[in-house]
Structure formats: structure tokens, C-alpha cells
């Protein structure tokens, strides 16, 4: 039986995973890619192989109410498919590495405990990321696990880009701008020399537009700034998070409305952004299909904020050579891409509307001063690369 390795990306209501197989000493190949969605509501398992052939697509027992139960459901599906196979390692996406962890690390109990302390800085992701490590540790205590951090790719920003302008004594405890979605940006930076060699060494803004959304400014393939900061609340409007907010608003919530810290946290992470503005949905596809003015306003604000932040990062880079779209909205919504490109035409983006509507890789005209691209992200592959290199395994080939 071939050896296996797993990549897990555990969220609050979903568990995304990739199964890699090693048919011989040299190669790792993707054997399956899938997710358990609707954890705690209507859990469903869907899995495809590397060619897109459906391996599983079925509802799960309603007992799959949390991350532990989701890992159990995944383990039972894996056993049914590859009974007796050895698991050589498990790689995880961890949203926040804090001051201490920017490079991928092999998990220890001490590191796990350090990462638990960062839960208040990423309550929407960190507890679920760490619960997956715990769940694997319980079931496969001898299998090495690797944590890969979403903050890691942004380490090395200039002092001024990292600064939070509060009193120094307060900032000493690690209060600085970290940036997130780093695994997505790192993957795209790694394939830019193939996809768009003419801009790979230049000044590039990547727009990761999904349920969470942010921008990254790249110079010569390295992150120099990001729209996200200390937590994953800053910058762009997101599915349920507001993006940049006047801090006075938060004071108002506490002082004038008398909300508690937990209530404010819930509002900022789960009730704002597209959902808060529209009162209808946090899902861009859903909002684009609706006629209600509130749905339109939510999309308008999403586009407005993205264009505004692109202008800010273009200033950081003193102009840009390319604008790249990725993640659920960036890869799939030609309408949102069109509107953001039109709002960025002053920078020199000249959209090729046909290429954009057809979902081509390059979506700007040949004469566009700034080229625009759609590049599908692959955070799981990036985690796999880090995991294999730390564990001394071969790199996956695809
Ligand atoms: P992600 O977090 O990267 O999985 O992205 C999720 C977001 O992508 C949700 O807001 C989806 O509505 C959005 N999305 C996925 N497909 C489409 C599409 N065809 N058109 C518009 N938005 C989409």
C-alpha cells in the first residue's frame, strides 16, 4: 500500500483537505482533494481525484457537529478508501503565528500551547486550526504534524509598514501589523515566473478576494505590505467582517451602546461586511443575483473598498506592473473583477472585457500599461511543499 500524507485546512464550518500519495520513492501525487462543509448544520462530504472525478459526494451523519467529529468522518472515509496505508505527515494551515512563528514548524505541545494564546487575535480561524492538530494528535500521536502560518509570508515588512502607532510600551507585546492569506500569496508568487514572467520580478498587487479578503503588495516576489494587519479584520470588506473601521466606532459600541467585548467580537467577525450591509447574505454569488438595493450596496461597497485599497498599495509600490485576482470571488466573478479593474483604470489597467468574461488567465488588453490576471490559488499545495521540506520528504509534483 502506498504511503500517504495529508494537508488540512480547518475552519469554523468546513474542513478542506488534500490527500497525497507516494507511489514510489521519488514522487508525491494528489490522490484526493475535498472538503466537509456545513459542520454543525448540514454536514456534507465532497471529494474529487486529481482529474476531477468525483470520489465522494454525500451527506454526513448529523453528529458531525464540530472539528473533532469532522476529522473522525474524514478518517473513516480515508480508511474505507485506503485501508492500511501509512500516514507519513500532516500539514496544517494556521492563521496566526504571532511574533514567534513565521516559518513553518514541526508541532510540539509547547508550540501548540503558544499558538493557543493567539486565539483572541484570530477567533474565527485559530481555534479551529488548532482543534484539527489536537484531533490528529489524539488519533495518530506518532505522526509528525507541521504548522504553516498565514502570517509567515509577510514577515520582513519594513518597520514603518508593520507599525501600529500606539504608545511604544503597549506595542512591545507584539502589537504590529502582520498580514494574512500568506500561504495564498506565497503560492501565487511561486508560480508567477511561469504564469506571467514579464511581471514576476516587478511591482504586483494580488487581490485575494474570498470570504476573507485582502491585498498584498509584492516587489520582486516578496511581500512588502498587506491590507490586513494585527488581526484579520482590517482592510477590505469581507463576507462577515467590516474591513477597515474608524476605531472610534468600536469605542462607541462599548461606551454608548454598552456592548460587551464578546458582543463586539461577534459583530466584527460574524455579523458585518457583506452580511451586515445587505442583511441578506455573506455570499457574493448570492448578492450578485439579488435585486434588493441592500444587496447592491454591499457589492458596491466591496468594489469601492477594494479599489481604494489598491490605490493605497499602488502608492506604497510607487505604481504597479500587474494586478492579480485570486480566491473564490477573484477567480470566479467576472463582474466584480470588471468593476474593480474599471475603478483602477487611472493606474493604467485596461480590461479586455471578452477575456475577463471568458475567465482567461490574462484579462487586460495587449496595450494595457498594467496587466491584469486571474490566477487560481492553491494554499493546500503550499502547505504540502512546506510540510514535505520540513519532514525531509520529496516535494509533491502537482
Ligand atoms: P473562498 O473563501 O475563497 O472559498 O470564496 C468564497 C466566496 O467566493 C463567496 O463569497 C462566494 O460567493 C464567492 N464565489 C464563488 N463562486 C462565485 C461566482 N461564480 N461568482 C461570484 N462569487 C463567487
Amino acid at each position: 500500500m502506498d504511503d500517504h500524507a495529508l494537508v488540512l485546512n480547518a475552519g469554523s464550518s468546513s474542513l478542506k483537505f488534500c490527500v497525497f500519495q507516494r507511489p514510489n520513492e521519488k514522487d508525491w501525487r494528489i490522490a484526493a482533494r475535498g472538503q466537509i462543509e456545513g459542520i454543525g448544520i448540514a454536514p456534507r462530504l465532497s471529494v474529487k481525484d486529481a482529474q476531477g472525478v468525483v470520489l465522494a459526494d454525500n451527506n454526513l451523519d448529523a453528529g458531525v457537529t464540530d472539528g473533532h467529529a469532522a476529522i473522525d468522518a474524514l478518517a473513516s472515509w480515508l480508511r474505507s478508501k485506503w485501508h492500511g496505508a501509512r500516514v507519513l505527515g500532516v500539514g496544517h494551515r494556521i492563521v496566526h503565528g504571532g511574533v514567534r512563528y513565521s516559518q513553518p514548524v514541526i508541532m510540539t505541545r509547547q508550540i501548540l500551547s503558544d499558538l493557543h494564546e493567539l486565539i483572541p487575535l484570530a477567533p474565527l480561524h485559530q481555534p479551529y486550526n488548532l482543534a484539527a492538530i489536537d484531533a490528529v494528535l489524539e488519533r495518530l500521536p506518532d505522526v509528525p504534524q507541521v504548522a504553516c502560518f498565514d502570517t509567515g509570508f509577510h514577515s520582513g515588512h519594513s518597520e514603518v509598514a508593520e507599525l501600529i502607532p500606539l504608545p511604544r510600551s503597549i506595542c512591545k507585546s507584539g502589537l504590529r501589523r502582520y498580514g494574512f492569506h500568506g500561504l495564498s500569496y506565497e503560492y501565487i508568487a511561486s508560480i508567477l515566473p511561469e504564469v506571467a514572467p514579464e511581471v514576476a520580478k516587478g511591482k504586483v498587487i494580488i487581490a485575494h478576494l474570498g470570504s476573507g479578503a485582502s491585498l498584498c503588495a509584492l516587489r520582486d516576489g516578496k511581500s512588502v505590505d498587506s491590507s490586513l494587519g494585527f488581526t484579520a479584520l482590517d482592510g477590505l470588506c469581507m463576507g462577515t467582517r467590516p474591513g477597515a473601521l474608524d476605531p472610534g466606532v468600536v469605542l462607541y459600541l462599548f461606551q454608548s451602546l454598552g456592548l460587551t467585548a464578546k458582543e463586539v467580537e461577534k459583530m466584527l467577525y460574524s455579523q458585518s461586511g457583506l452580511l451586515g450591509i445587505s442583511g441578506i447574505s455573506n455570499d457574493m454569488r448570492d448578492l450578485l443575483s439579488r435585486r434588493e438595493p441592500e444587496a447592491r450596496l454591499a457589492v458596491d461597497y466591496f468594489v469601492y473598498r477594494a479599489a481604494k485599497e489598491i490605490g493605497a498599495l499602488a502608492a506604497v509600490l510607487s505604481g504597479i506592473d500587474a494586478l492579480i485576482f485570486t480566491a473564490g470571488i477573484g477567480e470566479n466573478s467576472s463582474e466584480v473583477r470588471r468593476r474593480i479593474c474599471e475603478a483602477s483604470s487611472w493606474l493604467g489597467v485596461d480590461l479586455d472585457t471578452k477575456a475577463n468574461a471568458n475567465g482567461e488567465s490574462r484579462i487586460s488588453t495587449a496595450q494595457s500599461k498594467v496587466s491584469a490576471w486571474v490566477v487560481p490559488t492553491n494554499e493546500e499545495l503550499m502547505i504540502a511543499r512546506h510540510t514535505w521540506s520540513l519532514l525531509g520528504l520529496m516535494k509533491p509534483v502537482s
Side-chain angles (χ1 to χ4, degrees):
M1 180 62 75
D2 298 334
D3 288 330
H4 282 67
L6 294 178
V7 167
L8 301 180
N9 180 351
S12 59
S13 65
S14 73
L15 172 68
K16 293 185 184 162
F17 59 88
C18 267
V19 182
F20 289 83
Q21 254 177 345
R22 188 165 71 162
N24 58 55
E25 280 298 307
K26 289 203 184 106
D27 290 342
W28 280 100
R29 294 187 190 284
I30 288 191
R33 179 190 285 276
Q35 57 186 337
I36 295 176
E37 287 175 292
I39 296 171
I41 309 158
R44 187 169 181 81
L45 171 74
S46 49
V47 196
K48 290 182 177 168
D49 71 8
Q51 284 71 44
V53 175
V54 175
L55 300 177
D57 192 14
N58 53 275
N59 292 330
L60 294 171
D61 193 287
V64 180
T65 52
D66 61 14
H68 267 67
I71 296 268
D72 278 339
L74 173 60
S76 122
W77 181 78
L78 290 173
R79 270 196 302 274
S80 72
K81 192 97 186 88
W82 293 291
H83 182 71
R86 265 197 320 169
V87 179
L88 295 187
V90 182
H92 296 261
R93 174 192 181 204
I94 306 293
V95 161
H96 217 309
V99 191
R100 251 180 270 183
Y101 303 106
S102 54
Q103 298 302 315
V105 286
I106 299 177
M107 287 307 299
T108 62
R109 291 205 180 268
Q110 179 59 51
I111 296 174
L112 196 54
S113 146
D114 293 345
L115 296 177
H116 267 279
E117 285 174 23
L118 299 171
I119 285 178
L121 305 193
L124 207 56
H125 302 95
Q126 194 91 345
Y128 308 100
N129 302 158
L130 299 180
I133 295 181
D134 273 331
V136 174
L137 197 60
E138 272 172 32
R139 287 154 186 80
L140 301 168
D142 300 326
V143 172
Q145 302 195 64
V146 171
C148 304
F149 301 101
D150 251 340
T151 43
F153 185 61
H154 302 293
S155 70
H157 282 178
S158 68
E159 191 179 2
V160 77
E162 282 187 342
L163 192 72
I164 289 187
L166 290 178
R168 270 184 177 275
S169 53
I170 296 277
C171 294
K172 268 191 197 142
S173 61
L175 205 61
R176 63 171 165 84
R177 296 177 57 80
Y178 292 92
F180 297 86
H181 296 132
L183 292 160
S184 172
Y185 295 130
E186 186 178 10
Y187 171 74
I188 290 179
S190 78
I191 58 163
L192 263 194
E194 283 164 49
V195 177
E198 63 272 42
V199 298
K201 290 201 152 291
K203 298 183 280 188
V204 174
I205 292 177
I206 307 175
H208 176 110
L209 308 179
S211 304
S214 73
L215 304 176
C216 178
L218 289 183
R219 190 180 284 122
D220 192 13
K222 307 227 167 23
S223 170
V224 295
D225 204 351
S226 160
S227 62
L228 282 172
F230 178 57
T231 67
L233 284 174
D234 205 358
L236 307 190
C237 175
M238 298 174 236
T240 57
R241 288 169 267 166
L245 204 61
D246 173 351
V249 172
V250 180
L251 286 180
Y252 174 82
L253 296 176
F254 283 124
Q255 294 171 339
S256 298
L257 300 189
L259 299 189
T260 65
K262 270 286 156 219
E263 286 167 336
V264 171
E265 180 184 285
K266 190 169 175 202
M267 185 180 290
L268 294 179
Y269 280 97
S270 315
Q271 299 172 330
S272 301
L274 295 176
L275 177 64
I277 301 168
S278 68
I280 296 171
S281 173
N282 63 345
D283 188 290
M284 180 58 85
R285 194 169 12 187
D286 199 6
L287 292 174
L288 288 168
S289 71
R290 305 285 287 249
R291 302 180 84 92
E292 292 92 327
E294 294 83 2
R296 289 182 183 203
L297 185 62
V299 179
D300 287 351
Y301 184 73
F302 184 89
V303 169
Y304 173 82
R305 190 83 225 180
K308 188 168 168 175
E309 299 275 341
I310 286 170
L313 286 191
V316 167
L317 291 168
S318 309
I320 58 171
D321 300 310
L323 175 61
I324 295 173
F325 293 93
T326 194
I329 300 168
E331 291 169 30
N332 297 301
S333 175
S334 56
E335 181 177 342
V336 172
R337 288 195 305 260
R338 175 183 59 73
R339 292 182 58 183
I340 292 175
C341 284
E342 283 171 0
S344 306
S345 61
W346 64 276
L347 278 168
V349 180
D350 184 24
L351 185 73
D352 179 334
T353 45
K354 211 164 150 194
N356 181 47
N358 291 341
E360 288 173 25
S361 174
R362 180 173 170 142
I363 56 168
S364 54
T365 62
Q367 54 284 356
S368 185
K369 197 168 128 286
V370 171
S371 58
W373 306 79
V374 180
V375 181
T377 193
N378 195 339
E379 289 155 298
E380 283 78 19
L381 182 58
M382 205 60 238
I383 297 168
R385 288 179 183 163
H386 286 307
T387 302
W388 317 150
S389 84
L390 255 190
L391 297 181
L393 306 170
M394 296 294 296
K395 274 190 183 178
V397 290
S398 55

